[in-house]
């Protein structure tokens, strides 16, 4: 390889990639943990090094130029290679110390994982556990997390995934509201029922309709993208919410809503990167979660 042809700084290329993926300098700066002026200087430095313009300003955002778009796939491949190098090095570590990141949905992060953390602490007292509460699927390959609890299998062949159990969701409200509503199989009761919507609420409505519960947008006077807020709204008596059965059944003053539907089943997957499976700390936490999550959900 002719090394004299490489005339740019990798940090500058990384700044360009994250800015392109995030869509703005401010969002990219937050993702990288640096100030926006510093990030802007790195992107500008790459433009100077390559002798091309990478972005056009459109309103408050940025759009890739034709030259920038043509380079994006190459820089993304560089980032994946850099991530693989880091993952391989991490996977060879045999010490059970440092930090391990577990990502899970807001509900799992708030209610399912905390009872497991003391067990991890007991087995690995020098290990710091960071919980990344996200409903979106975190990218393990970009090291947003080391282990993920997901309700869908990952795509691609660079991750190890194990289906560890099934979880079940159902309609819950306060006991008083459930008694007031009555059986939702009665059309009159259903028409006056208030549901708490979620992000992409049309999917929720479509799913309930396929199951035989004829709801419409009129049944959803409230909506939130945050699952914990969704559950708190249901607990405050604002309407009917959907949560895992184990959470709803164990919460005081909450009750299943009588509607004739079966619980909604969905898989629980445990996911980690292939090269991290050789790490003792990842192996320990992975195996512990594989044992404890089904027990708690059961």
């Amino acid at each position: 390889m002719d090394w004299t042809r490489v005339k740019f700084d990798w940090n500058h290329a990384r700044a360009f990639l994250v800015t392109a993926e995030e869509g703005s300098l401010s969002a990219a700066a937050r993702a990288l943990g640096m100030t926006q002026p510093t990030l802007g200087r790195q992107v500008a430095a790459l433009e100077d090094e390559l002798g091309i313009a990478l972005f056009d300003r459109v309103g408050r955002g940025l759009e890739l130029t034709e030259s920038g778009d043509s380079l994006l796939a190459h820089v993304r491949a560089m980032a994946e290679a850099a991530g693989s190098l880091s993952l391989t090095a991490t996977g060879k570590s045999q010490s059970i110390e440092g930090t391990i990141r577990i990502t899970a949905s807001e509900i799992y992060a708030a209610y399912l994982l905390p009872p497991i953390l003391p067990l991890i602490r007991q087995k690995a007292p020098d290990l710091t556990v960071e919980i990344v509460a996200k409903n979106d699927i975190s990218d393990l390959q970009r090291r947003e997390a080391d282990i993920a609890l997901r309700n869908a299998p990952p795509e691609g062949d660079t991750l190890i995934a194990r289906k560890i159990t099934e979880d079940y969701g159902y309609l819950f409200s306060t006991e008083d509201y459930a008694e007031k509503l009555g059986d939702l199989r009665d059309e009159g009761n259903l028409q006056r029922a208030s549901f708490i919507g979620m992000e992409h609420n049309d999917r929720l409505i479509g799913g309930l309709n396929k199951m035989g519960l004829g709801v419409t947008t009129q049944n959803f006077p409230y909506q939130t993208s945050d699952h914990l807020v969704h559950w708190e709204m249901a607990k405050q008596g604002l309407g009917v919410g959907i949560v895992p059965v184990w959470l709803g059944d164990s919460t005081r003053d909450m009750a299943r809503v009588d509607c004739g539907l079966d619980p909604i089943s969905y898989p629980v997957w445990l996911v980690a990167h292939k090269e991290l499976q050789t790490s003792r700390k990842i192996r320990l936490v992975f195996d512990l979660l594989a044992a404890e999550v089904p027990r708690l959900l059961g």
Side-chain angles (χ1 to χ4, degrees):
M1 177 175 177
D2 184 1
W3 296 104
T4 61
R5 296 172 59 188
V6 181
K7 299 183 181 295
F8 63 90
D9 186 315
W10 157 243
N11 288 323
H12 300 165
R14 183 185 66 162
F16 159 64
L17 174 61
V18 178
T19 301
E21 291 186 339
E22 297 292 336
S24 70
L25 288 172
S26 58
R30 288 193 298 270
L32 289 173
M34 63 175 61
T35 65
Q36 182 173 334
T38 298
L39 182 70
R41 285 193 294 270
Q42 291 189 358
V43 173
L46 181 64
E47 291 180 319
D48 290 340
E49 290 162 351
L50 299 178
I52 57 175
L54 298 171
F55 294 104
D56 287 325
R57 285 197 171 275
V58 179
R60 294 184 178 180
L62 296 173
E63 285 190 4
L64 285 167
T65 63
E66 183 177 349
S67 297
D69 187 59
S70 67
L71 294 179
L72 189 59
H74 299 291
V75 179
R76 187 174 285 124
M78 291 171 58
E80 291 174 355
S84 295
L85 185 151
S86 178
L87 288 167
T88 301
T90 304
K92 291 179 179 178
S93 173
Q94 294 303 305
S95 60
I96 305 181
E97 59 184 16
T99 299
I100 184 169
R101 295 177 181 86
I102 305 171
T103 182
S105 68
E106 294 163 348
I107 291 292
Y108 282 1
Y111 295 104
L112 180 63
L113 290 180
I116 302 176
L117 298 185
L119 300 176
I120 299 176
R121 180 72 173 172
Q122 181 180 355
K123 292 181 178 294
D126 295 326
L127 191 62
T128 299
V129 181
E130 180 181 337
I131 302 299
V132 182
K134 292 181 64 174
N135 293 322
D136 295 333
I137 295 177
S138 296
D139 190 342
L140 298 188
Q141 296 181 34
R142 291 174 57 187
R143 295 307 303 273
E144 292 179 0
D146 301 306
I147 297 176
L149 270 175
R150 295 177 174 171
N151 294 123
E155 298 180 356
D157 57 359
T158 61
L159 299 174
I160 293 291
R162 183 194 304 177
K163 181 182 174 183
I164 56 175
T165 189
E166 289 277 334
D167 202 358
Y168 298 87
Y170 206 70
L171 303 177
F172 283 86
S173 70
T174 61
E175 292 176 345
D176 290 343
Y177 192 72
E179 184 177 353
K180 175 184 174 182
L181 278 182
D183 193 334
L184 294 190
R185 284 171 288 192
D186 181 283
E187 185 174 346
N189 292 345
L190 179 61
Q191 286 181 351
R192 61 186 178 87
S194 291
F195 288 74
I196 302 167
M198 297 182 178
E199 192 175 17
H200 309 301
N201 204 45
D202 53 337
R203 300 179 188 174
L204 175 59
I205 293 174
L208 291 174
N209 286 335
K210 286 182 180 179
M211 297 173 67
L213 196 64
V215 294
T216 69
T217 56
Q218 299 302 312
N219 289 112
F220 291 82
Y222 312 109
Q223 187 171 328
T224 176
S225 61
D226 188 301
H227 290 196
L228 293 180
V229 174
H230 175 96
W231 182 225
E232 286 300 320
M233 291 167 73
K235 288 164 62 179
Q236 292 295 324
L238 296 180
V240 178
I242 300 179
V243 295
V245 168
W246 54 268
L247 177 58
D249 284 346
S250 65
T251 302
R252 185 177 178 180
D253 298 328
M254 299 301 287
R256 300 192 192 192
V257 175
D258 192 0
C259 59
L261 300 182
D262 293 327
I264 305 166
S265 66
Y266 45 91
V268 180
W269 292 82
L270 196 59
V271 187
H273 200 280
K274 281 183 176 180
E275 286 143 319
L276 286 181
Q277 295 289 37
T278 58
S279 167
R280 287 182 63 201
K281 70 177 182 181
I282 302 296
R283 183 82 258 175
L284 183 148
V285 176
F286 189 95
D287 290 344
L288 195 150
L289 290 173
E292 291 299 318
V293 169
R295 183 183 68 82
L296 291 174
L297 293 185

